[in-house]
PDB file of all heavy atoms in Angstrom:
ATOM      1  N   ASP H  33      31.875 -17.936  17.339  1.00 86.00           N
ATOM      2  CA  ASP H  33      33.244 -18.304  17.846  1.00 86.00           C
ATOM      3  C   ASP H  33      33.373 -19.874  17.666  1.00 86.00           C
ATOM      4  O   ASP H  33      33.272 -20.614  18.654  1.00 86.00           O
ATOM      5  CB  ASP H  33      33.340 -18.015  19.385  1.00 86.00           C
ATOM      6  CG  ASP H  33      34.691 -18.362  19.885  1.00 86.00           C
ATOM      7  OD1 ASP H  33      35.635 -18.337  19.070  1.00 86.00           O
ATOM      8  OD2 ASP H  33      34.760 -18.454  21.089  1.00 86.00           O
ATOM      9  N   CYS H  34      33.343 -20.248  16.358  1.00 87.00           N
ATOM     10  CA  CYS H  34      33.424 -21.729  16.169  1.00 87.00           C
ATOM     11  C   CYS H  34      34.183 -21.929  14.752  1.00 87.00           C
ATOM     12  O   CYS H  34      34.374 -20.988  14.013  1.00 87.00           O
ATOM     13  CB  CYS H  34      32.046 -22.299  16.117  1.00 87.00           C
ATOM     14  SG  CYS H  34      31.129 -21.688  14.859  1.00 87.00           S
ATOM     15  N   THR H  35      34.628 -23.249  14.554  1.00 90.00           N
ATOM     16  CA  THR H  35      35.282 -23.487  13.318  1.00 90.00           C
ATOM     17  C   THR H  35      34.407 -23.454  12.137  1.00 90.00           C
ATOM     18  O   THR H  35      33.297 -24.195  12.206  1.00 90.00           O
ATOM     19  CB  THR H  35      35.957 -24.836  13.436  1.00 90.00           C
ATOM     20  OG1 THR H  35      36.808 -24.804  14.689  1.00 90.00           O
ATOM     21  CG2 THR H  35      36.949 -25.120  12.313  1.00 90.00           C
ATOM     22  N   VAL H  36      34.626 -22.768  11.088  1.00 92.00           N
ATOM     23  CA  VAL H  36      33.727 -22.725   9.938  1.00 92.00           C
ATOM     24  C   VAL H  36      34.755 -23.031   8.715  1.00 92.00           C
ATOM     25  O   VAL H  36      35.791 -22.434   8.666  1.00 92.00           O
ATOM     26  CB  VAL H  36      33.107 -21.342   9.821  1.00 92.00           C
ATOM     27  CG1 VAL H  36      32.350 -21.406   8.457  1.00 92.00           C
ATOM     28  CG2 VAL H  36      32.343 -21.090  10.854  1.00 92.00           C
ATOM     29  N   ALA H  37      34.343 -24.051   7.975  1.00 93.00           N
ATOM     30  CA  ALA H  37      35.094 -24.367   6.787  1.00 93.00           C
ATOM     31  C   ALA H  37      34.234 -23.928   5.512  1.00 93.00           C
ATOM     32  O   ALA H  37      33.052 -24.275   5.479  1.00 93.00           O
ATOM     33  CB  ALA H  37      35.455 -25.879   6.760  1.00 93.00           C
ATOM     34  N   ILE H  38      34.999 -23.185   4.690  1.00 93.00           N
ATOM     35  CA  ILE H  38      34.284 -22.883   3.492  1.00 93.00           C
ATOM     36  C   ILE H  38      34.951 -23.522   2.309  1.00 93.00           C
ATOM     37  O   ILE H  38      36.196 -23.419   2.177  1.00 93.00           O
ATOM     38  CB  ILE H  38      34.362 -21.329   3.192  1.00 93.00           C
ATOM     39  CG1 ILE H  38      33.553 -20.601   4.316  1.00 93.00           C
ATOM     40  CG2 ILE H  38      33.740 -20.941   1.861  1.00 93.00           C
ATOM     41  CD1 ILE H  38      33.409 -19.051   4.274  1.00 93.00           C
ATOM     42  N   ILE H  39      34.210 -24.411   1.576  1.00 93.00           N
ATOM     43  CA  ILE H  39      34.831 -24.915   0.418  1.00 93.00           C
ATOM     44  C   ILE H  39      34.316 -24.281  -0.755  1.00 93.00           C
ATOM     45  O   ILE H  39      33.110 -24.413  -1.031  1.00 93.00           O
ATOM     46  CB  ILE H  39      34.461 -26.575   0.543  1.00 93.00           C
ATOM     47  CG1 ILE H  39      35.060 -27.060   1.808  1.00 93.00           C
ATOM     48  CG2 ILE H  39      35.121 -27.305  -0.539  1.00 93.00           C
ATOM     49  CD1 ILE H  39      34.333 -28.374   2.215  1.00 93.00           C
ATOM     50  N   LYS H  40      35.186 -23.856  -1.610  1.00 94.00           N
ATOM     51  CA  LYS H  40      34.713 -23.184  -2.901  1.00 94.00           C
ATOM     52  C   LYS H  40      35.010 -23.979  -4.026  1.00 94.00           C
ATOM     53  O   LYS H  40      35.998 -24.787  -4.152  1.00 94.00           O
ATOM     54  CB  LYS H  40      35.494 -21.848  -3.053  1.00 94.00           C
ATOM     55  CG  LYS H  40      35.000 -20.904  -1.874  1.00 94.00           C
ATOM     56  CD  LYS H  40      35.474 -19.493  -2.094  1.00 94.00           C
ATOM     57  CE  LYS H  40      34.801 -18.872  -3.314  1.00 94.00           C
ATOM     58  NZ  LYS H  40      35.045 -17.395  -3.279  1.00 94.00           N
ATOM     59  N   ASN H  41      34.115 -23.993  -5.125  1.00 94.00           N
ATOM     60  CA  ASN H  41      34.253 -24.690  -6.335  1.00 94.00           C
ATOM     61  C   ASN H  41      34.512 -26.169  -6.206  1.00 94.00           C
ATOM     62  O   ASN H  41      35.420 -26.797  -6.814  1.00 94.00           O
ATOM     63  CB  ASN H  41      35.490 -24.024  -7.084  1.00 94.00           C
ATOM     64  CG  ASN H  41      35.110 -22.531  -7.395  1.00 94.00           C
ATOM     65  OD1 ASN H  41      33.936 -22.291  -7.669  1.00 94.00           O
ATOM     66  ND2 ASN H  41      36.157 -21.721  -7.299  1.00 94.00           N
ATOM     67  N   ALA H  42      33.758 -26.849  -5.258  1.00 92.00           N
ATOM     68  CA  ALA H  42      33.897 -28.247  -5.235  1.00 92.00           C
ATOM     69  C   ALA H  42      33.231 -28.941  -6.382  1.00 92.00           C
ATOM     70  O   ALA H  42      32.288 -28.240  -6.986  1.00 92.00           O
ATOM     71  CB  ALA H  42      33.203 -28.710  -3.864  1.00 92.00           C
ATOM     72  N   GLN H  43      33.563 -30.127  -6.816  1.00 92.00           N
ATOM     73  CA  GLN H  43      33.024 -30.766  -7.832  1.00 92.00           C
ATOM     74  C   GLN H  43      31.627 -31.266  -7.533  1.00 92.00           C
ATOM     75  O   GLN H  43      31.404 -31.683  -6.447  1.00 92.00           O
ATOM     76  CB  GLN H  43      33.790 -31.961  -8.326  1.00 92.00           C
ATOM     77  CG  GLN H  43      35.138 -31.730  -8.841  1.00 92.00           C
ATOM     78  CD  GLN H  43      35.226 -30.815 -10.201  1.00 92.00           C
ATOM     79  OE1 GLN H  43      34.289 -31.106 -10.930  1.00 92.00           O
ATOM     80  NE2 GLN H  43      36.039 -29.909 -10.221  1.00 92.00           N
ATOM     81  N   SER H  44      30.689 -31.146  -8.415  1.00 90.00           N
ATOM     82  CA  SER H  44      29.331 -31.489  -8.080  1.00 90.00           C
ATOM     83  C   SER H  44      28.736 -32.182  -9.450  1.00 90.00           C
ATOM     84  O   SER H  44      28.816 -31.583 -10.591  1.00 90.00           O
ATOM     85  CB  SER H  44      28.394 -30.268  -7.728  1.00 90.00           C
ATOM     86  OG  SER H  44      27.115 -30.761  -7.809  1.00 90.00           O
ATOM     87  N   ARG H  45      28.155 -33.329  -9.273  1.00 88.00           N
ATOM     88  CA  ARG H  45      27.541 -34.045 -10.438  1.00 88.00           C
ATOM     89  C   ARG H  45      26.351 -33.208 -11.013  1.00 88.00           C
ATOM     90  O   ARG H  45      26.075 -33.065 -12.101  1.00 88.00           O
ATOM     91  CB  ARG H  45      27.068 -35.344 -10.110  1.00 88.00           C
ATOM     92  CG  ARG H  45      28.057 -36.459 -10.543  1.00 88.00           C
ATOM     93  CD  ARG H  45      27.677 -37.801 -10.305  1.00 88.00           C
ATOM     94  NE  ARG H  45      27.278 -38.052  -8.852  1.00 88.00           N
ATOM     95  CZ  ARG H  45      26.231 -38.582  -8.327  1.00 88.00           C
ATOM     96  NH1 ARG H  45      25.212 -38.849  -9.027  1.00 88.00           N
ATOM     97  NH2 ARG H  45      26.106 -38.689  -7.008  1.00 88.00           N
ATOM     98  N   ARG H  46      25.509 -32.662  -9.918  1.00 86.00           N
ATOM     99  CA  ARG H  46      24.298 -31.904 -10.365  1.00 86.00           C
ATOM    100  C   ARG H  46      24.604 -30.451 -10.854  1.00 86.00           C
ATOM    101  O   ARG H  46      24.003 -30.059 -11.645  1.00 86.00           O
ATOM    102  CB  ARG H  46      23.292 -31.948  -9.173  1.00 86.00           C
ATOM    103  CG  ARG H  46      22.072 -31.259  -9.246  1.00 86.00           C
ATOM    104  CD  ARG H  46      21.063 -31.762  -8.421  1.00 86.00           C
ATOM    105  NE  ARG H  46      21.257 -31.650  -7.001  1.00 86.00           N
ATOM    106  CZ  ARG H  46      20.811 -30.593  -6.353  1.00 86.00           C
ATOM    107  NH1 ARG H  46      20.212 -29.649  -6.840  1.00 86.00           N
ATOM    108  NH2 ARG H  46      21.131 -30.528  -4.984  1.00 86.00           N
ATOM    109  N   MET H  47      25.498 -29.862 -10.140  1.00 88.00           N
ATOM    110  CA  MET H  47      25.790 -28.361 -10.444  1.00 88.00           C
ATOM    111  C   MET H  47      27.082 -28.080 -11.303  1.00 88.00           C
ATOM    112  O   MET H  47      27.427 -26.900 -11.557  1.00 88.00           O
ATOM    113  CB  MET H  47      25.722 -27.637  -9.164  1.00 88.00           C
ATOM    114  CG  MET H  47      24.456 -27.973  -8.192  1.00 88.00           C
ATOM    115  SD  MET H  47      24.765 -27.382  -6.673  1.00 88.00           S
ATOM    116  CE  MET H  47      24.586 -25.541  -6.802  1.00 88.00           C
ATOM    117  N   GLY H  48      27.912 -29.147 -11.519  1.00 92.00           N
ATOM    118  CA  GLY H  48      29.127 -28.717 -12.024  1.00 92.00           C
ATOM    119  C   GLY H  48      30.147 -28.243 -10.897  1.00 92.00           C
ATOM    120  O   GLY H  48      30.966 -29.119 -10.407  1.00 92.00           O
TER     121      GLY H  48
END
Side-chain angles (χ1 to χ4, degrees):
Chain H
D33 187 23
C34 61
T35 308
V36 177
I38 295 179
I39 302 161
K40 298 190 66 165
N41 299 321
Q43 296 297 322
S44 163
R45 258 183 301 131
R46 181 148 65 90
M47 307 168 70

